[in-house]
Amino acid sequence: MFRIGGARIAKAGARNFGTKAQPPSRLRNAVWATSGIVVGGLGYLYLTDASAGFHKYVSTPLMRQLDAEQAHQLAISSMKRGVCPVDRSTDDSVLEIELWGKSVTNPIGVAAGFDKNGEAIDALFGLGFGSVEIGSITPEAQEGNARPRIFRVEDSDAVINRMGLPNCGVVSAGERLRSRFWRLLASQSKQQGESVATLSSSVNRSAVAGRLLGVNVGKCKSSGDGSFDDYVTGLQKLGPYADYVVINVSCPNVTNMKANGNVEVLERTVEAVMKARNKMSGEYRPPVVLKIGPDNDLQQLRVIAQVAMDYRVDGIIATNTTRQRPGVIGVKEEGGLSGAPLKDMALATTREMYRLTQGKMAIIGCGGIRTAEDALAFAKAGASCVQVYSSMTMDGPGKAREIKDGVVRLLKGRKWADVVGEDARRK
């Protein structure tokens, strides 16, 4: 600054009065970098949260623009690679149940059919499910029926499938289950300082505390109508790595399953499977669960219940899909119907089976469960726990958390275990 005739003249290049000094470039870059990390971290936490609205309102509707089977394959492929959100919340203690002497943190499971080959077990547990059931798995690998074989019925919130039990077979599935079990036990052994042998005798076969892994076994397409050897093989090969084994006698998409409607075949099948289970070597013998269809009349249900009790079956899943089309108009595709239209049939079967077995057997409710109200209705009808599938594909990966939170609110301080079979007790 210098004077000419008393006037103050600024030197060229000098800052004008009032111009703010710019922060050093290093500070500015640090601010931007920190902001980017914070925003990126928050975005990551949001997008990897199964309950985030993004999944229900953006990613899941986008997936539904794909062919149904393509969308399913993409979901499994992503999940087995770890590209999947998680449920970060802790289950409320009112949801805790006990099944076959094992504690489970919540009664919401995912039904067989979603993860047919056991490729996405840990991702599904990560979504907050208390149990994951894989399969159906047959002794030999098979392709299933011709495509297309899955059809969405959007107006009815339903799905029709005629998959025909495509799966990798017991050898491949067994190796996958065995490898996963011992790998997780080895990791836990290092963390807890206990030997793998000690852990193997005390942990769930899911290898995840408070979670159960079910394995659903079925019959090969080439097997005879009245045969039961496939179920025995499935039990023997996969049972050692399952918290429970499901005998699928009710799939409507294969032609050689007669046990669901033929008393003699049913009894021979159950007898053979239970004998094989009781003869399994080692200390561990998995519970055996019978999966039945929703199309049985009362007399048939009486027979199923009696056979199950006579041979001391450990549980019943009510139900599989149906060939009927309740409330579905103008759909001509063949196959098993699942989703909302199945709910009333599955709920009625659950209620009847609980009554017929006198509440002495675990009943797993399955069919059309989409809301907390649906889940609680099945509990009151007698379901020790419930399973979902179609509703998850419709509403996204936050379905387990959505139902669990809703059930906690509806229970109003009561426990899930306290309301199981409440309808029967009121009569």
Side-chain angles (χ1 to χ4, degrees):
M1 199 72 75
F2 59 92
R3 293 177 180 274
I4 298 180
R8 302 177 71 188
I9 306 297
K11 291 183 179 180
R15 293 184 183 277
N16 292 328
F17 181 75
T19 301
K20 295 182 180 179
Q22 296 296 317
S25 60
R26 288 184 178 178
L27 178 59
R28 182 171 63 249
N29 291 342
V31 170
W32 278 109
T34 301
S35 299
I37 292 171
V38 170
V39 171
L42 292 174
Y44 172 81
L45 290 174
Y46 175 75
L47 292 176
T48 56
D49 185 342
S51 299
F54 172 83
H55 300 296
K56 183 172 184 177
Y57 300 110
V58 179
S59 65
T60 300
L62 286 174
M63 289 279 281
R64 291 175 70 178
Q65 300 306 306
L66 299 174
D67 168 79
E69 188 160 359
Q70 289 179 335
H72 180 256
Q73 291 173 335
L74 178 59
I76 292 295
S77 178
S78 298
M79 294 173 83
K80 72 180 183 181
R81 289 171 173 78
V83 184
C84 181
V86 296
D87 176 16
R88 293 195 175 91
S89 301
T90 301
D91 290 340
D92 194 295
S93 61
V94 301
L95 297 174
E96 186 174 350
I97 62 171
E98 184 176 296
L99 275 177
W100 307 301
K102 298 179 179 181
S103 177
V104 188
T105 62
N106 76 79
I108 313 301
V110 62
F114 183 81
D115 186 9
K116 300 179 186 302
N117 298 317
E119 299 173 286
I121 294 169
D122 294 303
L124 289 167
F125 281 133
L127 293 180
F129 289 105
S131 61
V132 171
E133 187 178 314
I134 67 169
S136 283
I137 300 171
T138 55
E140 303 295 332
Q142 55 184 32
E143 293 294 326
N145 295 326
R147 301 187 187 193
R149 51 192 183 179
I150 308 180
F151 309 91
R152 301 185 185 97
V153 188
E154 302 283 358
D155 294 342
S156 301
D157 293 329
V159 175
I160 294 173
N161 93 81
R162 51 172 181 263
M163 297 292 287
L165 304 186
N167 71 97
C168 62
V170 297
V171 174
S172 178
E175 176 56 31
R176 185 176 294 116
L177 292 176
R178 186 198 66 78
S179 176
R180 174 188 173 276
F181 179 72
W182 292 113
R183 172 172 49 81
L184 292 179
L185 253 62
S187 176
Q188 293 174 27
S189 175
K190 291 180 180 179
Q191 295 173 3
Q192 300 175 20
E194 295 187 61
S195 69
V196 171
T198 300
L199 287 172
S200 66
S201 63
S202 61
V203 302
N204 293 345
R205 262 33 192 182
S206 70
V208 182
R211 300 286 195 269
L212 297 184
L213 174 61
V215 176
N216 184 305
V217 297
K219 292 176 62 173
C220 290
K221 190 174 183 179
S222 58
S223 298
D225 290 355
S227 65
F228 50 75
D229 291 343
D230 287 356
Y231 297 119
V232 172
T233 299
L235 169 73
Q236 293 172 333
K237 299 294 185 182
L238 304 178
Y241 307 105
D243 289 303
Y244 65 97
V245 174
V246 179
I247 307 304
N248 182 4
V249 299
S250 56
C251 177
N253 298 314
V254 293
T255 59
N256 63 344
M257 282 191 182
K258 302 299 183 183
N260 190 62
N262 185 305
V263 176
E264 292 183 3
V265 175
L266 174 65
E267 186 165 7
R268 287 201 306 268
T269 299
V270 172
E271 180 182 19
V273 170
M274 296 308 294
K275 281 184 177 180
R277 193 280 303 270
N278 295 336
K279 290 180 179 179
M280 288 179 68
S281 60
E283 296 182 0
Y284 182 69
R285 295 177 177 85
V288 171
V289 178
L290 197 63
K291 186 164 187 175
I292 66 173
D295 304 314
N296 299 288
D297 59 29
L298 181 56
Q299 182 56 35
Q300 289 172 316
L301 292 179
R302 286 196 182 105
V303 171
I304 292 171
Q306 191 61 54
V307 169
M309 290 190 294
D310 287 347
Y311 290 97
R312 298 186 179 181
V313 171
D314 299 284
I316 292 174
I317 296 180
T319 65
N320 215 318
T321 57
T322 178
R323 289 190 178 94
Q324 298 184 47
R325 297 292 182 263
V328 178
I329 300 173
V331 178
K332 298 181 180 179
E333 295 294 347
E334 296 181 356
L337 176 75
S338 62
L342 178 60
K343 186 185 77 172
D344 289 346
M345 297 175 69
L347 183 60
T349 303
T350 296
R351 182 176 291 111
E352 201 58 50
M353 292 309 296
Y354 181 81
R355 182 184 70 82
L356 291 170
T357 58
Q358 303 168 30
K360 297 177 180 179
M361 186 178 298
I363 308 296
I364 300 175
C366 181
I369 297 171
R370 192 169 188 176
T371 66
E373 288 80 4
D374 295 338
L376 203 57
F378 272 81
K380 292 179 178 179
S384 300
C385 59
V386 298
Q387 295 178 332
V388 301
Y389 176 177
S390 297
S391 63
M392 179 175 66
T393 67
M394 295 173 187
D395 297 335
K399 179 53 63 177
R401 173 51 53 190
E402 177 189 321
I403 293 178
K404 289 188 292 186
D405 287 346
V407 167
V408 170
R409 288 192 296 270
L410 293 172
L411 286 172
K412 298 179 180 179
R414 302 174 69 192
K415 295 182 178 181
W416 172 281
D418 294 335
V419 304
V420 172
E422 189 173 82
D423 290 350
R425 292 193 295 271
R426 285 178 176 174
K427 295 182 179 179

